[in-house]
Amino acid sequence: MEFALLAKAFVLGVVEGLTEFLPISSTGHLILAGDLLGFNDEKAKVFEIVIQTGAMLAVVWEYRERFRRVIVGFASDRVARRFVLNLVIAFIPAAVLGLALSEAIKAYLFHAVPVALAFIIGGFIILWVERRQRRATVESVDDMTWGDALKVGFAQALALVPGTSRSGATIIGGMLFGLSRRAATEFSFFLAVPTLIAAGAYDFWKNRALFDSGDLGLFGVGSAAAFASAFVCVRWLIRYIATHDFKPFAWYRIVFGVVVLFTAYAGLVDWSAG
């Protein structure tokens, strides 16, 4: 396999890992980075879904003790059962709408300009939520009810629009619905596990004809890079939210989106997917 292709896989893996759990849209960054690298054909789009599994495994590893307690105590621990039930409930809206709308979304919205617009709109929404006077009513993930989980699930469904950000929708949506900053962030991490497993498995099966044994190196490099960078990012984000808000990410989204729109319409960058 060509070194240049493996280098692109590594870069995209790092991009995925650094952006999956921040409220800045991993899908949007991957679409734009794929355009710049010339790696945006059908197989590349499947590659982007598969390497999300590498990022997801970083959450599993970081919270391995939490997941172990849930698995071991599921039969006897009411808190563990509620945790699993909340994840299932929150997963359902995006799963149902994703199955119904995925083809239309990929056909019309997986392009640079719609992604840039979603970046900008999402940035202003984050600023609005952060500036509201609010008091958290749910301090911990273990305090969440099924109703809280359902509302976060509908927020996650908004992230089917590329550029919106799955983590951004779930974290900011959770805060809007009364979750503390830490509870919303950690539940976003946990919800990523069933969501990314399901998305990866679905796309892998649907596009299995595009794979062959020669792709193992490509996916291995991308997934390993996504795991390592996501692991660093998850640990950093938990420390960051203890003393900071999400406004810097909002301004980053707005500026980044404006730059993409400007370069697209000025002809400075050939956003081939847009």
Side-chain angles (χ1 to χ4, degrees):
M1 182 172 290
E2 295 182 7
F3 174 80
L5 189 58
L6 291 177
K8 291 178 181 179
F10 176 80
V11 170
L12 290 172
V14 171
V15 170
E16 160 62 25
L18 292 179
T19 58
E20 179 61 50
F21 300 106
L22 298 179
I24 56 175
S25 178
S26 62
T27 301
H29 279 80
L30 288 173
I31 290 171
L32 299 175
D35 273 4
L36 290 175
L37 294 173
F39 190 55
N40 52 16
D41 57 12
E42 288 304 310
K43 183 172 288 191
K45 289 180 172 58
V46 177
F47 167 82
E48 293 167 4
I49 293 294
V50 172
I51 62 173
Q52 289 179 338
T53 303
M56 177 273 297
L57 289 174
V59 168
V60 174
W61 179 253
E62 174 65 12
Y63 289 93
R64 59 192 180 279
E65 180 59 27
R66 171 70 183 252
F67 285 114
R68 187 195 68 79
R69 291 199 307 269
V70 169
I71 293 171
V72 171
F74 182 78
S76 57
D77 188 345
R78 181 175 59 84
V79 174
R81 289 197 299 272
R82 186 171 63 205
F83 174 79
V84 174
L85 177 62
N86 284 344
L87 287 183
V88 172
I89 290 172
F91 167 75
I92 290 173
V96 173
L97 292 174
L99 287 173
L101 303 175
S102 62
E103 294 301 322
I105 290 172
K106 289 182 178 180
Y108 297 106
L109 298 180
F110 268 61
H111 307 294
V113 172
V115 166
L117 291 173
F119 266 81
I120 295 169
I121 294 169
F124 281 113
I125 291 174
I126 293 174
L127 289 177
W128 174 71
V129 171
E130 285 287 13
R131 288 173 178 172
R132 293 177 71 246
Q133 294 293 325
R134 63 178 187 84
R135 188 180 72 83
T137 56
V138 180
E139 291 294 338
S140 166
V141 169
D142 290 332
D143 297 328
M144 291 177 62
T145 66
W146 70 266
D148 296 323
L150 183 61
K151 286 184 282 190
V152 173
F154 278 112
Q156 177 174 249
L158 296 175
L160 291 169
V161 177
T164 300
S165 171
R166 187 205 63 80
S167 58
T170 51
I171 293 172
I172 301 303
M175 290 170 57
L176 185 62
F177 299 136
L179 273 65
S180 69
R181 194 180 305 278
R182 185 179 182 94
T185 301
E186 289 195 332
F187 192 70
S188 176
F189 290 163
F190 298 140
L191 185 54
V193 175
T195 301
L196 298 186
I197 287 176
Y202 175 75
D203 272 282
F204 184 87
W205 177 256
K206 185 178 178 182
N207 299 282
R208 60 192 182 280
L210 296 174
F211 293 89
D212 57 55
S213 58
D215 295 324
L216 293 178
L218 183 73
F219 290 117
V221 168
S223 296
F227 174 88
S229 53
F231 180 73
V232 172
C233 185
V234 165
R235 286 202 160 184
W236 172 82
L237 186 59
I238 288 297
R239 292 194 300 271
Y240 173 87
I241 62 172
T243 54
H244 298 80
D245 60 26
F246 290 110
K247 290 178 184 177
F249 298 107
W251 287 115
Y252 168 82
R253 291 178 62 107
I254 292 167
V255 172
F256 190 77
V258 169
V259 169
V260 172
L261 290 179
F262 175 77
T263 55
Y265 284 111
L268 298 177
V269 176
D270 179 19
W271 297 108
S272 56

